[in-house]
Amino acid sequence: MIARNAAARCYRVEHRTTYKYSDEVTSSYGRVYLTPREFPGQRLLSHEIHIDPTPSDRSIGTDVYGNTTSYFHVTAEHTKLVVTGESVVEVDTPDATAVSATGKPWEQARPSTTNGPLAVEFTLDLHPPEITPEVTAYAAESLTPGRPLLEAVTELNTRIHDDFIYKSGSTTVSTKVADVFAARAGVCQDFARIGAACLRSHGLASHYVSGYLATDPPPGKERMVGADATHAWSAVWVPGDTAHDRTGHWIGFDPTNDQFADERYVTVAWGRDYADVPPLRGIIYTDAKESTITVSVDVAPVEV
């Protein structure tokens, strides 16, 4: 894993999702990804998930990528369901010298069953395919032969930020990368998926990261509780420094904000795509014709 220094920031995260229905729901099944990951550079100090109405059944498990996922089943009739994740997370400041050390040609960062067997899956396209000739050509402008990996990813990150407009509501979670390319607009989930698709199109490993970004209020303004939102970014795999290191490490990059992930980024889960790690998905049984969903996220710095 990437080396971290002793400096760290601690956050209290509250992620509340409220569903309201126009008629009684008799049964509700849900699966959530609201538990921040633990790995070198991030520590989960406390965590709880509150569900109202109280579930008759719930469990916690780990998916194939090592993410913590929670399942619940509410059998009490209800017209409102509230799911709240509360966490305290400590995130280290990245070691700049470790990041800058990735100066080898990007071609040498392609994983194989020998140097990075766990990363190979993240080189594969999705189904249905997301890697189009346009994606491959777009990535090739940054991934020129022999170019240092970090330099190439830095430029790709900036180009996505500059070439695509952030437009809330312009896409849905099912919008394809090709459609975002055509519209040249989207949101953070779209830009993270573009970043991953571009790197995969040339044999590099990249995963989709779901989490939060701590934001600071404008000068002279107080923080607005609940004004933050979920965030998404990409990560590129970097081989280990020795022949015996078959794990390597991942470096997060954020095309939405044209920067690399640092101590302001709280990682919840990672996978191949948004569909692998949605904050909440489920099935309900109801005759309700209408429903609404409201999401409130607050990421506040705390002292530990």
Side-chain angles (χ1 to χ4, degrees):
M1 289 292 183
I2 189 169
R4 302 277 174 166
N5 59 31
R9 295 182 68 177
C10 190
Y11 305 97
R12 177 173 286 108
V13 180
E14 181 182 274
H15 183 154
R16 176 176 288 118
T17 304
T18 302
Y19 294 92
K20 292 183 179 180
Y21 309 99
S22 60
D23 200 352
E24 296 282 351
V25 172
T26 57
S27 186
S28 178
Y29 296 86
R31 185 184 185 192
V32 301
Y33 285 90
L34 292 176
T35 306
R37 291 188 67 121
E38 286 198 277
F39 54 89
Q42 179 170 296
R43 292 164 294 283
L44 184 60
L45 304 185
S46 67
H47 177 70
E48 289 187 61
I49 295 178
H50 307 281
I51 302 169
D52 182 25
T54 301
S56 58
D57 181 31
R58 63 187 300 176
S59 62
I60 299 175
T62 304
D63 71 6
V64 68
Y65 303 119
N67 303 303
T68 298
T69 178
S70 301
Y71 159 86
F72 67 86
H73 181 199
V74 175
T75 54
E77 291 190 351
H78 57 281
T79 57
K80 182 171 77 170
L81 173 68
V82 182
V83 180
T84 306
E86 295 181 351
S87 310
V88 176
V89 186
E90 189 174 49
V91 186
D92 290 341
T93 301
D95 184 346
T97 59
V99 174
S100 62
T102 57
K104 294 182 180 179
W106 66 267
E107 293 94 339
Q108 296 181 20
R110 290 171 171 150
S112 67
T113 54
T114 301
N115 71 346
L118 298 180
V120 170
E121 180 177 355
F122 294 98
T123 67
L124 305 177
D125 199 0
L126 304 177
H127 181 76
E130 294 276 39
I131 298 175
T132 63
E134 184 178 11
V135 168
T136 303
Y138 185 86
E141 294 183 36
S142 294
L143 297 169
T144 53
R147 193 175 195 181
L149 175 65
L150 191 66
E151 180 181 305
V153 173
T154 298
E155 184 186 275
L156 177 65
N157 201 34
T158 298
R159 287 176 55 226
I160 296 172
H161 173 269
D162 292 346
D163 293 344
F164 294 82
I165 299 171
Y166 185 95
K167 188 176 181 181
S168 181
S170 61
T171 60
T172 69
V173 295
S174 59
T175 300
K176 300 303 180 185
V177 165
D179 297 327
V180 181
F181 258 86
R184 281 297 195 267
V187 295
C188 60
Q189 290 88 349
D190 302 305
F191 303 155
R193 294 170 61 231
I194 288 174
C198 283
L199 295 184
R200 293 170 186 165
S201 72
H202 289 264
L204 294 171
S206 182
H207 60 210
Y208 174 99
V209 188
S210 174
Y212 311 103
L213 173 59
T215 56
D216 296 321
K221 301 290 186 179
E222 295 184 358
R223 290 190 69 259
M224 295 179 63
V225 176
D228 296 311
T230 56
H231 194 51
W233 57 98
S234 313
V236 60
W237 181 78
V238 180
D241 293 331
T242 68
H244 302 290
D245 183 356
R246 289 161 55 86
T247 302
H249 62 267
W250 297 85
I251 296 178
F253 63 98
D254 179 7
T256 302
N257 294 291
D258 189 17
Q259 61 192 22
F260 284 89
D262 56 21
E263 69 278 4
R264 295 168 295 175
Y265 288 73
V266 176
T267 298
V268 173
W270 58 60
R272 298 163 302 169
D273 193 41
Y274 172 89
D276 287 335
V277 290
L280 195 155
R281 66 154 56 103
I283 299 173
I284 63 172
Y285 293 87
T286 181
D287 291 326
K289 304 299 183 185
E290 298 179 355
S291 65
T292 61
I293 177 175
T294 304
V295 179
S296 171
V297 175
D298 187 55
V299 183
V302 295
E303 297 291 334
V304 294

